[in-house]
Amino acid sequence: MYKIMLWFSSFVSCIVVVFVMFRFWDEKYERRYRNRYLYAVLAAVYVVIVMSVNTLMNPLLNLSANMAMIGGISFRFYEGKISGNVMRIFESGAFFTILSLTEAVGVYLIDFLMEALEITPGNAELLKSIEYTFSKMVMLFLYQVLFMKLWRKRMVRTPSQYLLYIAMFFYGMVNILVTASVSGEEHPALLTVVMGSIVFSNMFLLYFMKFQDERNFYKRQNDMMQQQERLRLVNYEIQKDTYVKALSILHDVKKHISVIEALYEENREEALDYTRQIDDMLRPLMPVKYVDNPILSCLLADKSRTADQRQILFRLDVSAADVDFMESIDITTLFGNLLDNAMEAAGECGAERYVGLFLKRCSEMLFIRVENSADKAVPIRNGMIAEHRKGIGLLNIERCVDSYGGTMHYRNEKNRLICEIWLNIEK
């Protein structure tokens, strides 16, 4: 009966390897053929062939069979926009090698735990079955938590998801250790069902979490688009207020002129005071030309007024910049979010409140530098603000920078947070 358990564990092991490899191919490359049943049959054939080779218990032959299947499938049934056939075969083979190493780690870990707890099964076939099961569970855990993040773009994870992965892993590990502890009893059929259930439940969790990751991704995309629309609306409201004020003054311009003429005839000094009052009303409506681009000029004028209201020193050096290569929505999104974040941080400072924006064209690149005062250092990792501090605004900034083939780097320097961005003018 223990031989049946070993055979079943080997079968489950093959299914897991094939499942992970096809997930890897589907995530990283594109299927060459549209028929999904073809790939289901292909996966079944892969399992049968590798399972047949596994029965010979020859590690070298087993490795050769897997490499042959991986090379053939990646070459004939998948294609990549960037990677060629040789690179695709190499990447697939390298990934399988990494999976094999995770299996070895799993075997070593479960052997160490069973030896430490003194529950190592006396039956060699049962021991092998337990090692098969636990090593595949380790493979699934590392693939989902670590490896997938290296190439999958449409994935946004929440802390609760990671906690679920860890809880599921430890739950499976405890069940396997319990299985090992009762292995002296004659219940091989029950133990087979338990170990199979552990692996398949982990596979189901992996498959279910794929949709959760995509849901989180699209939710974040939706939040980013809504944030862009809010920035557009704010920009529109600014223009609307200016337009309404201008209309109001223009509507009464004849009355103002008549009043000035009458006052001038009676009292020249009162006429001058009245004209100064009119001038004060008109001055805020006069457009300030910071740059040649009207969208950015309007945005900077609004941020300048906001800085004055919040008592923030707002320094600009942008006259030499040219942002006409950017889309209007990208200008609003990038500079609006950069300055909003900087002013929000500066507004919380107890002493100096400062925000600076500097633009400069360098050959075919646009250099952007935004700096703001900060009472304490912002957590930065590899030149980027730590993930737990990122909001939708910062994600929108990163998306804009990426869309122009640019780079972004943050650093703390003398009670100031500095962000430096390079954008490719030839997009």
Side-chain angles (χ1 to χ4, degrees), residues 8-40:
F8 179 76
S9 299
S10 178
F11 174 69
V12 171
S13 175
C14 292
I15 290 178
V16 172
V17 171
V18 173
F19 173 77
V20 172
M21 285 306 305
F22 272 87
R23 285 289 304 275
F24 169 76
W25 285 321
D26 288 336
E27 294 288 349
K28 193 168 177 59
Y29 311 117
E30 292 183 0
R31 291 186 175 186
R32 184 164 291 179
Y33 304 103
R34 299 296 180 187
N35 191 337
R36 61 189 180 92
Y37 298 106
L38 171 64
Y39 289 86

PDB file of all heavy atoms in Angstrom, residues 8-40:
ATOM      1  N   PHE A   8       1.368   7.731  -6.003  1.00  0.00           N
ATOM      2  CA  PHE A   8       0.428   8.853  -6.007  1.00  0.00           C
ATOM      3  C   PHE A   8       1.165  10.167  -5.729  1.00  0.00           C
ATOM      4  O   PHE A   8       0.894  11.191  -6.362  1.00  0.00           O
ATOM      5  CB  PHE A   8      -0.661   8.621  -4.965  1.00  0.00           C
ATOM      6  CG  PHE A   8      -1.666   9.742  -4.888  1.00  0.00           C
ATOM      7  CD1 PHE A   8      -2.649   9.887  -5.852  1.00  0.00           C
ATOM      8  CD2 PHE A   8      -1.618  10.673  -3.847  1.00  0.00           C
ATOM      9  CE1 PHE A   8      -3.572  10.934  -5.779  1.00  0.00           C
ATOM     10  CE2 PHE A   8      -2.529  11.708  -3.768  1.00  0.00           C
ATOM     11  CZ  PHE A   8      -3.505  11.840  -4.739  1.00  0.00           C
ATOM     12  N   SER A   9       2.081  10.159  -4.762  1.00  0.00           N
ATOM     13  CA  SER A   9       2.846  11.369  -4.451  1.00  0.00           C
ATOM     14  C   SER A   9       3.687  11.807  -5.640  1.00  0.00           C
ATOM     15  O   SER A   9       3.813  13.000  -5.927  1.00  0.00           O
ATOM     16  CB  SER A   9       3.751  11.125  -3.236  1.00  0.00           C
ATOM     17  OG  SER A   9       2.996  10.804  -2.098  1.00  0.00           O
ATOM     18  N   SER A  10       4.257  10.838  -6.334  1.00  0.00           N
ATOM     19  CA  SER A  10       5.031  11.151  -7.541  1.00  0.00           C
ATOM     20  C   SER A  10       4.133  11.754  -8.614  1.00  0.00           C
ATOM     21  O   SER A  10       4.517  12.699  -9.313  1.00  0.00           O
ATOM     22  CB  SER A  10       5.711   9.886  -8.067  1.00  0.00           C
ATOM     23  OG  SER A  10       6.420  10.159  -9.252  1.00  0.00           O
ATOM     24  N   PHE A  11       2.931  11.230  -8.729  1.00  0.00           N
ATOM     25  CA  PHE A  11       1.962  11.741  -9.709  1.00  0.00           C
ATOM     26  C   PHE A  11       1.582  13.186  -9.380  1.00  0.00           C
ATOM     27  O   PHE A  11       1.565  14.061 -10.255  1.00  0.00           O
ATOM     28  CB  PHE A  11       0.726  10.836  -9.707  1.00  0.00           C
ATOM     29  CG  PHE A  11      -0.397  11.340 -10.572  1.00  0.00           C
ATOM     30  CD1 PHE A  11      -0.280  11.359 -11.957  1.00  0.00           C
ATOM     31  CD2 PHE A  11      -1.578  11.806  -9.997  1.00  0.00           C
ATOM     32  CE1 PHE A  11      -1.319  11.834 -12.750  1.00  0.00           C
ATOM     33  CE2 PHE A  11      -2.610  12.275 -10.775  1.00  0.00           C
ATOM     34  CZ  PHE A  11      -2.487  12.292 -12.159  1.00  0.00           C
ATOM     35  N   VAL A  12       1.299  13.450  -8.105  1.00  0.00           N
ATOM     36  CA  VAL A  12       0.962  14.804  -7.676  1.00  0.00           C
ATOM     37  C   VAL A  12       2.141  15.737  -7.913  1.00  0.00           C
ATOM     38  O   VAL A  12       1.974  16.897  -8.334  1.00  0.00           O
ATOM     39  CB  VAL A  12       0.551  14.816  -6.190  1.00  0.00           C
ATOM     40  CG1 VAL A  12       0.410  16.243  -5.676  1.00  0.00           C
ATOM     41  CG2 VAL A  12      -0.752  14.059  -5.989  1.00  0.00           C
ATOM     42  N   SER A  13       3.342  15.242  -7.658  1.00  0.00           N
ATOM     43  CA  SER A  13       4.542  16.046  -7.879  1.00  0.00           C
ATOM     44  C   SER A  13       4.660  16.471  -9.335  1.00  0.00           C
ATOM     45  O   SER A  13       4.967  17.625  -9.634  1.00  0.00           O
ATOM     46  CB  SER A  13       5.782  15.243  -7.460  1.00  0.00           C
ATOM     47  OG  SER A  13       6.958  15.944  -7.772  1.00  0.00           O
ATOM     48  N   CYS A  14       4.402  15.547 -10.248  1.00  0.00           N
ATOM     49  CA  CYS A  14       4.459  15.869 -11.678  1.00  0.00           C
ATOM     50  C   CYS A  14       3.400  16.908 -12.052  1.00  0.00           C
ATOM     51  O   CYS A  14       3.662  17.828 -12.840  1.00  0.00           O
ATOM     52  CB  CYS A  14       4.266  14.604 -12.505  1.00  0.00           C
ATOM     53  SG  CYS A  14       5.628  13.431 -12.375  1.00  0.00           S
ATOM     54  N   ILE A  15       2.200  16.750 -11.495  1.00  0.00           N
ATOM     55  CA  ILE A  15       1.129  17.709 -11.779  1.00  0.00           C
ATOM     56  C   ILE A  15       1.534  19.112 -11.332  1.00  0.00           C
ATOM     57  O   ILE A  15       1.312  20.092 -12.045  1.00  0.00           O
ATOM     58  CB  ILE A  15      -0.185  17.280 -11.084  1.00  0.00           C
ATOM     59  CG1 ILE A  15      -0.744  16.014 -11.756  1.00  0.00           C
ATOM     60  CG2 ILE A  15      -1.212  18.400 -11.135  1.00  0.00           C
ATOM     61  CD1 ILE A  15      -2.002  15.487 -11.105  1.00  0.00           C
ATOM     62  N   VAL A  16       2.130  19.207 -10.146  1.00  0.00           N
ATOM     63  CA  VAL A  16       2.533  20.519  -9.630  1.00  0.00           C
ATOM     64  C   VAL A  16       3.594  21.154 -10.528  1.00  0.00           C
ATOM     65  O   VAL A  16       3.519  22.347 -10.863  1.00  0.00           O
ATOM     66  CB  VAL A  16       3.058  20.393  -8.185  1.00  0.00           C
ATOM     67  CG1 VAL A  16       3.650  21.710  -7.721  1.00  0.00           C
ATOM     68  CG2 VAL A  16       1.932  19.968  -7.254  1.00  0.00           C
ATOM     69  N   VAL A  17       4.588  20.369 -10.931  1.00  0.00           N
ATOM     70  CA  VAL A  17       5.654  20.900 -11.796  1.00  0.00           C
ATOM     71  C   VAL A  17       5.064  21.394 -13.115  1.00  0.00           C
ATOM     72  O   VAL A  17       5.374  22.501 -13.581  1.00  0.00           O
ATOM     73  CB  VAL A  17       6.730  19.826 -12.048  1.00  0.00           C
ATOM     74  CG1 VAL A  17       7.707  20.308 -13.127  1.00  0.00           C
ATOM     75  CG2 VAL A  17       7.484  19.517 -10.772  1.00  0.00           C
ATOM     76  N   VAL A  18       4.209  20.593 -13.716  1.00  0.00           N
ATOM     77  CA  VAL A  18       3.597  20.986 -14.981  1.00  0.00           C
ATOM     78  C   VAL A  18       2.710  22.215 -14.794  1.00  0.00           C
ATOM     79  O   VAL A  18       2.714  23.142 -15.615  1.00  0.00           O
ATOM     80  CB  VAL A  18       2.781  19.806 -15.564  1.00  0.00           C
ATOM     81  CG1 VAL A  18       1.988  20.254 -16.795  1.00  0.00           C
ATOM     82  CG2 VAL A  18       3.718  18.656 -15.925  1.00  0.00           C
ATOM     83  N   PHE A  19       1.949  22.234 -13.700  1.00  0.00           N
ATOM     84  CA  PHE A  19       1.081  23.377 -13.409  1.00  0.00           C
ATOM     85  C   PHE A  19       1.890  24.670 -13.299  1.00  0.00           C
ATOM     86  O   PHE A  19       1.547  25.692 -13.903  1.00  0.00           O
ATOM     87  CB  PHE A  19       0.332  23.102 -12.098  1.00  0.00           C
ATOM     88  CG  PHE A  19      -0.479  24.262 -11.595  1.00  0.00           C
ATOM     89  CD1 PHE A  19      -1.697  24.577 -12.166  1.00  0.00           C
ATOM     90  CD2 PHE A  19      -0.019  25.051 -10.537  1.00  0.00           C
ATOM     91  CE1 PHE A  19      -2.458  25.652 -11.690  1.00  0.00           C
ATOM     92  CE2 PHE A  19      -0.760  26.114 -10.058  1.00  0.00           C
ATOM     93  CZ  PHE A  19      -1.978  26.411 -10.639  1.00  0.00           C
ATOM     94  N   VAL A  20       2.986  24.625 -12.558  1.00  0.00           N
ATOM     95  CA  VAL A  20       3.815  25.824 -12.366  1.00  0.00           C
ATOM     96  C   VAL A  20       4.491  26.232 -13.669  1.00  0.00           C
ATOM     97  O   VAL A  20       4.564  27.421 -13.997  1.00  0.00           O
ATOM     98  CB  VAL A  20       4.862  25.579 -11.260  1.00  0.00           C
ATOM     99  CG1 VAL A  20       5.845  26.744 -11.188  1.00  0.00           C
ATOM    100  CG2 VAL A  20       4.182  25.394  -9.914  1.00  0.00           C
ATOM    101  N   MET A  21       4.979  25.268 -14.446  1.00  0.00           N
ATOM    102  CA  MET A  21       5.655  25.603 -15.701  1.00  0.00           C
ATOM    103  C   MET A  21       4.677  26.254 -16.686  1.00  0.00           C
ATOM    104  O   MET A  21       5.027  27.242 -17.353  1.00  0.00           O
ATOM    105  CB  MET A  21       6.255  24.343 -16.333  1.00  0.00           C
ATOM    106  CG  MET A  21       7.521  23.828 -15.652  1.00  0.00           C
ATOM    107  SD  MET A  21       8.847  25.051 -15.473  1.00  0.00           S
ATOM    108  CE  MET A  21       9.073  25.601 -17.160  1.00  0.00           C
ATOM    109  N   PHE A  22       3.472  25.740 -16.785  1.00  0.00           N
ATOM    110  CA  PHE A  22       2.488  26.347 -17.701  1.00  0.00           C
ATOM    111  C   PHE A  22       2.047  27.720 -17.200  1.00  0.00           C
ATOM    112  O   PHE A  22       1.775  28.619 -18.004  1.00  0.00           O
ATOM    113  CB  PHE A  22       1.284  25.415 -17.893  1.00  0.00           C
ATOM    114  CG  PHE A  22       1.472  24.430 -19.011  1.00  0.00           C
ATOM    115  CD1 PHE A  22       2.090  23.216 -18.791  1.00  0.00           C
ATOM    116  CD2 PHE A  22       1.054  24.735 -20.298  1.00  0.00           C
ATOM    117  CE1 PHE A  22       2.283  22.303 -19.819  1.00  0.00           C
ATOM    118  CE2 PHE A  22       1.237  23.830 -21.347  1.00  0.00           C
ATOM    119  CZ  PHE A  22       1.855  22.613 -21.106  1.00  0.00           C
ATOM    120  N   ARG A  23       1.975  27.894 -15.892  1.00  0.00           N
ATOM    121  CA  ARG A  23       1.687  29.231 -15.368  1.00  0.00           C
ATOM    122  C   ARG A  23       2.804  30.195 -15.743  1.00  0.00           C
ATOM    123  O   ARG A  23       2.553  31.343 -16.112  1.00  0.00           O
ATOM    124  CB  ARG A  23       1.535  29.184 -13.838  1.00  0.00           C
ATOM    125  CG  ARG A  23       0.222  28.595 -13.357  1.00  0.00           C
ATOM    126  CD  ARG A  23      -0.952  29.528 -13.633  1.00  0.00           C
ATOM    127  NE  ARG A  23      -0.764  30.840 -13.059  1.00  0.00           N
ATOM    128  CZ  ARG A  23      -1.066  31.164 -11.811  1.00  0.00           C
ATOM    129  NH1 ARG A  23      -1.571  30.253 -10.990  1.00  0.00           N
ATOM    130  NH2 ARG A  23      -0.888  32.400 -11.378  1.00  0.00           N
ATOM    131  N   PHE A  24       4.042  29.731 -15.638  1.00  0.00           N
ATOM    132  CA  PHE A  24       5.204  30.547 -15.996  1.00  0.00           C
ATOM    133  C   PHE A  24       5.140  30.943 -17.469  1.00  0.00           C
ATOM    134  O   PHE A  24       5.315  32.121 -17.821  1.00  0.00           O
ATOM    135  CB  PHE A  24       6.479  29.761 -15.704  1.00  0.00           C
ATOM    136  CG  PHE A  24       7.725  30.389 -16.276  1.00  0.00           C
ATOM    137  CD1 PHE A  24       8.306  31.498 -15.681  1.00  0.00           C
ATOM    138  CD2 PHE A  24       8.313  29.867 -17.426  1.00  0.00           C
ATOM    139  CE1 PHE A  24       9.458  32.073 -16.205  1.00  0.00           C
ATOM    140  CE2 PHE A  24       9.457  30.438 -17.959  1.00  0.00           C
ATOM    141  CZ  PHE A  24      10.032  31.547 -17.342  1.00  0.00           C
ATOM    142  N   TRP A  25       4.885  29.988 -18.347  1.00  0.00           N
ATOM    143  CA  TRP A  25       4.807  30.282 -19.789  1.00  0.00           C
ATOM    144  C   TRP A  25       3.655  31.236 -20.098  1.00  0.00           C
ATOM    145  O   TRP A  25       3.808  32.163 -20.887  1.00  0.00           O
ATOM    146  CB  TRP A  25       4.639  28.991 -20.572  1.00  0.00           C
ATOM    147  CG  TRP A  25       5.901  28.167 -20.666  1.00  0.00           C
ATOM    148  CD1 TRP A  25       7.165  28.635 -20.838  1.00  0.00           C
ATOM    149  CD2 TRP A  25       6.006  26.744 -20.570  1.00  0.00           C
ATOM    150  NE1 TRP A  25       8.060  27.591 -20.864  1.00  0.00           N
ATOM    151  CE2 TRP A  25       7.374  26.412 -20.702  1.00  0.00           C
ATOM    152  CE3 TRP A  25       5.100  25.707 -20.398  1.00  0.00           C
ATOM    153  CZ2 TRP A  25       7.844  25.097 -20.673  1.00  0.00           C
ATOM    154  CZ3 TRP A  25       5.555  24.395 -20.363  1.00  0.00           C
ATOM    155  CH2 TRP A  25       6.914  24.099 -20.503  1.00  0.00           C
ATOM    156  N   ASP A  26       2.497  30.995 -19.495  1.00  0.00           N
ATOM    157  CA  ASP A  26       1.330  31.839 -19.792  1.00  0.00           C
ATOM    158  C   ASP A  26       1.506  33.272 -19.287  1.00  0.00           C
ATOM    159  O   ASP A  26       0.979  34.214 -19.895  1.00  0.00           O
ATOM    160  CB  ASP A  26       0.063  31.230 -19.176  1.00  0.00           C
ATOM    161  CG  ASP A  26      -0.388  29.976 -19.906  1.00  0.00           C
ATOM    162  OD1 ASP A  26      -0.031  29.835 -21.096  1.00  0.00           O
ATOM    163  OD2 ASP A  26      -1.089  29.141 -19.306  1.00  0.00           O
ATOM    164  N   GLU A  27       2.219  33.436 -18.179  1.00  0.00           N
ATOM    165  CA  GLU A  27       2.429  34.768 -17.633  1.00  0.00           C
ATOM    166  C   GLU A  27       3.509  35.541 -18.385  1.00  0.00           C
ATOM    167  O   GLU A  27       3.390  36.745 -18.587  1.00  0.00           O
ATOM    168  CB  GLU A  27       2.820  34.681 -16.145  1.00  0.00           C
ATOM    169  CG  GLU A  27       1.734  34.152 -15.232  1.00  0.00           C
ATOM    170  CD  GLU A  27       0.609  35.152 -15.042  1.00  0.00           C
ATOM    171  OE1 GLU A  27       0.774  36.313 -15.440  1.00  0.00           O
ATOM    172  OE2 GLU A  27      -0.436  34.754 -14.501  1.00  0.00           O
ATOM    173  N   LYS A  28       4.543  34.845 -18.816  1.00  0.00           N
ATOM    174  CA  LYS A  28       5.713  35.516 -19.393  1.00  0.00           C
ATOM    175  C   LYS A  28       5.660  35.611 -20.915  1.00  0.00           C
ATOM    176  O   LYS A  28       6.196  36.567 -21.492  1.00  0.00           O
ATOM    177  CB  LYS A  28       6.982  34.787 -18.959  1.00  0.00           C
ATOM    178  CG  LYS A  28       8.258  35.568 -19.243  1.00  0.00           C
ATOM    179  CD  LYS A  28       9.439  34.942 -18.552  1.00  0.00           C
ATOM    180  CE  LYS A  28      10.729  35.676 -18.888  1.00  0.00           C
ATOM    181  NZ  LYS A  28      10.708  37.081 -18.509  1.00  0.00           N
ATOM    182  N   TYR A  29       5.028  34.649 -21.572  1.00  0.00           N
ATOM    183  CA  TYR A  29       4.991  34.622 -23.038  1.00  0.00           C
ATOM    184  C   TYR A  29       3.547  34.602 -23.534  1.00  0.00           C
ATOM    185  O   TYR A  29       2.621  34.710 -22.748  1.00  0.00           O
ATOM    186  CB  TYR A  29       5.756  33.395 -23.568  1.00  0.00           C
ATOM    187  CG  TYR A  29       7.131  33.227 -22.966  1.00  0.00           C
ATOM    188  CD1 TYR A  29       7.449  32.103 -22.199  1.00  0.00           C
ATOM    189  CD2 TYR A  29       8.107  34.203 -23.140  1.00  0.00           C
ATOM    190  CE1 TYR A  29       8.709  31.948 -21.637  1.00  0.00           C
ATOM    191  CE2 TYR A  29       9.375  34.061 -22.582  1.00  0.00           C
ATOM    192  CZ  TYR A  29       9.662  32.924 -21.825  1.00  0.00           C
ATOM    193  OH  TYR A  29      10.904  32.791 -21.260  1.00  0.00           O
ATOM    194  N   GLU A  30       3.403  34.429 -24.827  1.00  0.00           N
ATOM    195  CA  GLU A  30       2.075  34.343 -25.438  1.00  0.00           C
ATOM    196  C   GLU A  30       1.918  32.985 -26.120  1.00  0.00           C
ATOM    197  O   GLU A  30       2.867  32.470 -26.730  1.00  0.00           O
ATOM    198  CB  GLU A  30       1.896  35.462 -26.474  1.00  0.00           C
ATOM    199  CG  GLU A  30       1.844  36.845 -25.860  1.00  0.00           C
ATOM    200  CD  GLU A  30       1.601  37.911 -26.901  1.00  0.00           C
ATOM    201  OE1 GLU A  30       1.481  37.549 -28.092  1.00  0.00           O
ATOM    202  OE2 GLU A  30       1.525  39.102 -26.534  1.00  0.00           O
ATOM    203  N   ARG A  31       0.717  32.452 -26.027  1.00  0.00           N
ATOM    204  CA  ARG A  31       0.453  31.166 -26.684  1.00  0.00           C
ATOM    205  C   ARG A  31       0.441  31.344 -28.201  1.00  0.00           C
ATOM    206  O   ARG A  31      -0.140  32.293 -28.708  1.00  0.00           O
ATOM    207  CB  ARG A  31      -0.889  30.606 -26.217  1.00  0.00           C
ATOM    208  CG  ARG A  31      -0.881  30.167 -24.755  1.00  0.00           C
ATOM    209  CD  ARG A  31      -2.177  29.490 -24.366  1.00  0.00           C
ATOM    210  NE  ARG A  31      -2.116  28.962 -23.003  1.00  0.00           N
ATOM    211  CZ  ARG A  31      -3.069  28.225 -22.433  1.00  0.00           C
ATOM    212  NH1 ARG A  31      -4.173  27.950 -23.126  1.00  0.00           N
ATOM    213  NH2 ARG A  31      -2.927  27.774 -21.203  1.00  0.00           N
ATOM    214  N   ARG A  32       1.097  30.428 -28.871  1.00  0.00           N
ATOM    215  CA  ARG A  32       1.183  30.533 -30.330  1.00  0.00           C
ATOM    216  C   ARG A  32      -0.125  30.126 -30.993  1.00  0.00           C
ATOM    217  O   ARG A  32      -0.465  30.596 -32.072  1.00  0.00           O
ATOM    218  CB  ARG A  32       2.329  29.650 -30.831  1.00  0.00           C
ATOM    219  CG  ARG A  32       2.602  29.722 -32.318  1.00  0.00           C
ATOM    220  CD  ARG A  32       3.955  29.138 -32.657  1.00  0.00           C
ATOM    221  NE  ARG A  32       5.040  29.977 -32.140  1.00  0.00           N
ATOM    222  CZ  ARG A  32       6.324  29.688 -32.279  1.00  0.00           C
ATOM    223  NH1 ARG A  32       6.687  28.558 -32.890  1.00  0.00           N
ATOM    224  NH2 ARG A  32       7.243  30.496 -31.789  1.00  0.00           N
ATOM    225  N   TYR A  33      -0.896  29.253 -30.345  1.00  0.00           N
ATOM    226  CA  TYR A  33      -2.157  28.770 -30.916  1.00  0.00           C
ATOM    227  C   TYR A  33      -3.318  29.179 -30.004  1.00  0.00           C
ATOM    228  O   TYR A  33      -3.170  29.287 -28.785  1.00  0.00           O
ATOM    229  CB  TYR A  33      -2.126  27.249 -31.075  1.00  0.00           C
ATOM    230  CG  TYR A  33      -0.947  26.766 -31.902  1.00  0.00           C
ATOM    231  CD1 TYR A  33       0.169  26.203 -31.279  1.00  0.00           C
ATOM    232  CD2 TYR A  33      -0.932  26.897 -33.285  1.00  0.00           C
ATOM    233  CE1 TYR A  33       1.261  25.771 -32.006  1.00  0.00           C
ATOM    234  CE2 TYR A  33       0.162  26.466 -34.035  1.00  0.00           C
ATOM    235  CZ  TYR A  33       1.251  25.912 -33.384  1.00  0.00           C
ATOM    236  OH  TYR A  33       2.331  25.506 -34.120  1.00  0.00           O
ATOM    237  N   ARG A  34      -4.476  29.392 -30.607  1.00  0.00           N
ATOM    238  CA  ARG A  34      -5.635  29.890 -29.870  1.00  0.00           C
ATOM    239  C   ARG A  34      -6.435  28.790 -29.190  1.00  0.00           C
ATOM    240  O   ARG A  34      -7.233  29.051 -28.301  1.00  0.00           O
ATOM    241  CB  ARG A  34      -6.559  30.658 -30.828  1.00  0.00           C
ATOM    242  CG  ARG A  34      -5.905  31.880 -31.467  1.00  0.00           C
ATOM    243  CD  ARG A  34      -5.561  32.901 -30.429  1.00  0.00           C
ATOM    244  NE  ARG A  34      -4.930  34.085 -31.000  1.00  0.00           N
ATOM    245  CZ  ARG A  34      -4.417  35.068 -30.276  1.00  0.00           C
ATOM    246  NH1 ARG A  34      -4.464  34.993 -28.959  1.00  0.00           N
ATOM    247  NH2 ARG A  34      -3.851  36.105 -30.858  1.00  0.00           N
ATOM    248  N   ASN A  35      -6.261  27.565 -29.604  1.00  0.00           N
ATOM    249  CA  ASN A  35      -7.052  26.459 -29.078  1.00  0.00           C
ATOM    250  C   ASN A  35      -6.598  26.116 -27.653  1.00  0.00           C
ATOM    251  O   ASN A  35      -5.511  25.556 -27.457  1.00  0.00           O
ATOM    252  CB  ASN A  35      -6.907  25.234 -29.991  1.00  0.00           C
ATOM    253  CG  ASN A  35      -7.898  24.139 -29.645  1.00  0.00           C
ATOM    254  OD1 ASN A  35      -8.413  24.058 -28.529  1.00  0.00           O
ATOM    255  ND2 ASN A  35      -8.183  23.284 -30.619  1.00  0.00           N
ATOM    256  N   ARG A  36      -7.428  26.425 -26.668  1.00  0.00           N
ATOM    257  CA  ARG A  36      -7.029  26.175 -25.284  1.00  0.00           C
ATOM    258  C   ARG A  36      -7.018  24.690 -24.942  1.00  0.00           C
ATOM    259  O   ARG A  36      -6.303  24.266 -24.022  1.00  0.00           O
ATOM    260  CB  ARG A  36      -7.941  26.936 -24.321  1.00  0.00           C
ATOM    261  CG  ARG A  36      -9.396  26.566 -24.378  1.00  0.00           C
ATOM    262  CD  ARG A  36     -10.235  27.531 -23.542  1.00  0.00           C
ATOM    263  NE  ARG A  36     -11.651  27.209 -23.567  1.00  0.00           N
ATOM    264  CZ  ARG A  36     -12.259  26.432 -22.679  1.00  0.00           C
ATOM    265  NH1 ARG A  36     -11.563  25.909 -21.702  1.00  0.00           N
ATOM    266  NH2 ARG A  36     -13.557  26.194 -22.761  1.00  0.00           N
ATOM    267  N   TYR A  37      -7.829  23.894 -25.674  1.00  0.00           N
ATOM    268  CA  TYR A  37      -7.831  22.444 -25.414  1.00  0.00           C
ATOM    269  C   TYR A  37      -6.505  21.814 -25.814  1.00  0.00           C
ATOM    270  O   TYR A  37      -6.082  20.811 -25.234  1.00  0.00           O
ATOM    271  CB  TYR A  37      -8.984  21.779 -26.166  1.00  0.00           C
ATOM    272  CG  TYR A  37     -10.341  22.273 -25.719  1.00  0.00           C
ATOM    273  CD1 TYR A  37     -11.100  23.126 -26.511  1.00  0.00           C
ATOM    274  CD2 TYR A  37     -10.865  21.892 -24.478  1.00  0.00           C
ATOM    275  CE1 TYR A  37     -12.345  23.588 -26.100  1.00  0.00           C
ATOM    276  CE2 TYR A  37     -12.107  22.343 -24.047  1.00  0.00           C
ATOM    277  CZ  TYR A  37     -12.835  23.189 -24.872  1.00  0.00           C
ATOM    278  OH  TYR A  37     -14.059  23.649 -24.455  1.00  0.00           O
ATOM    279  N   LEU A  38      -5.848  22.396 -26.793  1.00  0.00           N
ATOM    280  CA  LEU A  38      -4.546  21.893 -27.220  1.00  0.00           C
ATOM    281  C   LEU A  38      -3.554  21.952 -26.066  1.00  0.00           C
ATOM    282  O   LEU A  38      -2.789  21.005 -25.833  1.00  0.00           O
ATOM    283  CB  LEU A  38      -4.038  22.718 -28.405  1.00  0.00           C
ATOM    284  CG  LEU A  38      -2.587  22.456 -28.838  1.00  0.00           C
ATOM    285  CD1 LEU A  38      -2.434  21.024 -29.349  1.00  0.00           C
ATOM    286  CD2 LEU A  38      -2.165  23.452 -29.911  1.00  0.00           C
ATOM    287  N   TYR A  39      -3.575  23.042 -25.304  1.00  0.00           N
ATOM    288  CA  TYR A  39      -2.627  23.198 -24.203  1.00  0.00           C
ATOM    289  C   TYR A  39      -3.013  22.333 -23.011  1.00  0.00           C
ATOM    290  O   TYR A  39      -2.137  21.915 -22.235  1.00  0.00           O
ATOM    291  CB  TYR A  39      -2.538  24.677 -23.819  1.00  0.00           C
ATOM    292  CG  TYR A  39      -1.835  25.492 -24.873  1.00  0.00           C
ATOM    293  CD1 TYR A  39      -2.534  26.006 -25.966  1.00  0.00           C
ATOM    294  CD2 TYR A  39      -0.470  25.717 -24.815  1.00  0.00           C
ATOM    295  CE1 TYR A  39      -1.881  26.735 -26.963  1.00  0.00           C
ATOM    296  CE2 TYR A  39       0.188  26.448 -25.802  1.00  0.00           C
ATOM    297  CZ  TYR A  39      -0.527  26.947 -26.873  1.00  0.00           C
ATOM    298  OH  TYR A  39       0.114  27.659 -27.854  1.00  0.00           O
ATOM    299  N   ALA A  40      -4.297  22.047 -22.852  1.00  0.00           N
ATOM    300  CA  ALA A  40      -4.720  21.118 -21.799  1.00  0.00           C
ATOM    301  C   ALA A  40      -4.212  19.710 -22.102  1.00  0.00           C
ATOM    302  O   ALA A  40      -3.711  19.005 -21.216  1.00  0.00           O
ATOM    303  CB  ALA A  40      -6.237  21.129 -21.673  1.00  0.00           C
TER     304      ALA A  40
END
